[in-house]
């Protein structure tokens, strides 16, 4: 199985400031088609996870442009350009390259 | 708007079989891949299995011996059965849709674009 490792696991943030979460995979997530099969999800308190980013850097429909994904190979980053109060929750990366799909441990984002 | 709704018993006895159904509205189960994911209390997400109308399915190796996933197009539903449950199977169980969105070059992404609200299943005698 591909192991996904996130850091930090806890991230206190100040509204209006940027934030960044790292996700590392135990093997490259580059598919032979040239795409990296890495996704980011946000689970807000008391809610189901929601898709933020797919193919490492494509924002899902309705996701604010303050969210961006980047990275390649085994190292990926989710950035929030200016954190808003509604961004609190647990962020998960997930690899979709091979089965079984595996998630990172989650990064809890809270307002300072 | 696609909506998914999980249903099934909230309490299952140890050694018995957990059975859940996901009812899909606003879309057809014949058009996408569909997954089950679970989340033990206060813990992270674990993918369990996916199914497709073509009868293709795939299971997490750690659960494969105990899991069956199936799809009923006539009811627009898909289901999960997990046998020989223990307390370690206590979790919120989510059903979700794989987008199957086309991307550049004629390729496809299979991100999880719609999720159910989740249902808590407790394994206890």
């Amino acid at each position: 199985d591909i192991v996904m490792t996130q850091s930090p696991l806890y991230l206190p943030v100040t509204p209006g400031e940027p934030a960044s979460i790292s996700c590392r995979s135990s093997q490259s997530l580059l598919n032979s088609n040239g795409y990296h099969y890495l996704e980011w999800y946000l689970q807000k308190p008391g809610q189901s996870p929601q898709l933020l980013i797919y193919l490492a850097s494509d924002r899902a429909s309705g996701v604010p442009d303050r969210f961006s994904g980047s990275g390649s190979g085994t190292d990926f980053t989710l950035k929030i350009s200016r954190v808003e109060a509604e961004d609190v929750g647990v962020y998960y990366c997930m690899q979709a390259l091979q089965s079984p799909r595996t998630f990172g441990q989650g990064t809890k984002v809270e307002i300072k | 708007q696609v909506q998914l709704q999980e249903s099934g018993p909230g309490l299952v006895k140890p050694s018995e079989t957990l059975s859940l159904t996901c009812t899909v509205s606003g879309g057809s189960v014949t058009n996408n891949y569909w997954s089950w994911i679970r989340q033990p209390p206060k813990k992270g997400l674990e993918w369990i299995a996916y199914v497709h109308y073509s009868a293709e399915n795939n299971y997490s190796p750690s659960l494969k011996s105990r899991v069956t996933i199936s799809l009923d197009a006539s009811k627009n539903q898909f289901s999960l059965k997990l046998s020989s449950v223990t307390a370690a199977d206590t979790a919120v169980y989510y059903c979700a849709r794989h987008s199957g969105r086309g991307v550049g070059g004629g390729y496809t992404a299979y991100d999880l674009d719609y999720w159910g609200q989740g249902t808590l299943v407790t394994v206890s005698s």
Side-chain angles (χ1 to χ4, degrees):
Chain A
D1 298 3
I2 297 177
V3 177
M4 306 298 291
T5 303
Q6 290 182 229
S7 63
L9 301 185
Y10 174 70
L11 181 61
V13 297
T14 300
E17 295 296 306
S20 178
I21 300 170
S22 173
C23 177
R24 183 165 292 179
S25 55
S26 60
Q27 61 189 79
S28 175
L29 300 185
L30 178 63
N31 189 285
S32 57
N33 63 15
Y35 290 99
H36 288 87
Y37 278 71
L38 184 283
E39 296 153 15
W40 289 97
Y41 296 87
L42 165 60
Q43 186 172 31
K44 295 184 178 181
Q47 297 186 17
S48 308
Q50 60 186 80
L51 175 69
L52 295 176
I53 302 286
Y54 61 94
L55 297 180
S57 61
D58 288 351
R59 262 191 311 276
S61 175
V63 174
D65 61 7
R66 64 179 180 273
F67 290 93
S68 64
S70 63
S72 63
T74 62
D75 291 312
F76 301 90
T77 301
L78 176 71
K79 292 182 179 178
I80 310 174
S81 59
R82 292 175 304 279
V83 173
E84 296 190 5
E86 65 181 23
D87 299 336
V88 299
V90 181
Y91 290 77
Y92 295 93
C93 60
M94 188 192 82
Q95 65 83 15
L97 181 68
Q98 63 180 235
S99 184
R101 297 197 170 206
T102 46
F103 292 89
Q105 315 98 301
T107 295
K108 187 172 186 178
V109 172
E110 287 187 344
I111 298 296
K112 282 182 182 176
Chain B
Q1 177 78 344
V2 176
Q3 293 185 314
L4 291 77
Q5 179 67 58
E6 303 89 350
S7 59
L11 181 64
V12 181
K13 289 183 168 55
S15 80
E16 296 190 343
T17 296
L18 176 161
S19 295
L20 296 174
T21 296
C22 182
T23 300
V24 178
S25 58
S28 172
V29 294
T30 62
N31 293 338
N32 297 75
Y33 287 82
W34 306 87
S35 268
W36 287 97
I37 299 103
R38 70 180 182 178
Q39 185 172 36
K42 306 289 189 186
K43 293 189 177 181
L45 300 166
E46 179 186 20
W47 175 79
I48 302 171
Y50 72 65
V51 64
H52 188 263
Y53 178 62
S54 64
E56 177 186 356
N57 54 47
N58 194 277
Y59 298 100
S60 172
S62 65
L63 297 170
K64 187 173 184 176
S65 63
R66 299 194 291 130
V67 172
T68 302
I69 191 170
S70 60
L71 186 149
D72 186 338
S74 67
K75 295 181 180 179
N76 220 34
Q77 296 174 334
F78 62 105
S79 300
L80 174 74
K81 291 187 185 300
L82 179 64
S83 64
S84 304
V85 298
T86 70
D89 296 310
T90 294
V92 174
Y93 286 76
Y94 296 100
C95 57
R97 188 187 86 161
H98 293 261
S99 68
R101 69 180 83 231
V103 297
Y107 298 109
T108 305
Y110 292 101
D111 47 273
L112 298 165
D113 61 348
Y114 289 96
W115 295 63
Q117 65 184 28
T119 186
L120 173 62
V121 179
T122 302
V123 178
S124 175
S125 55

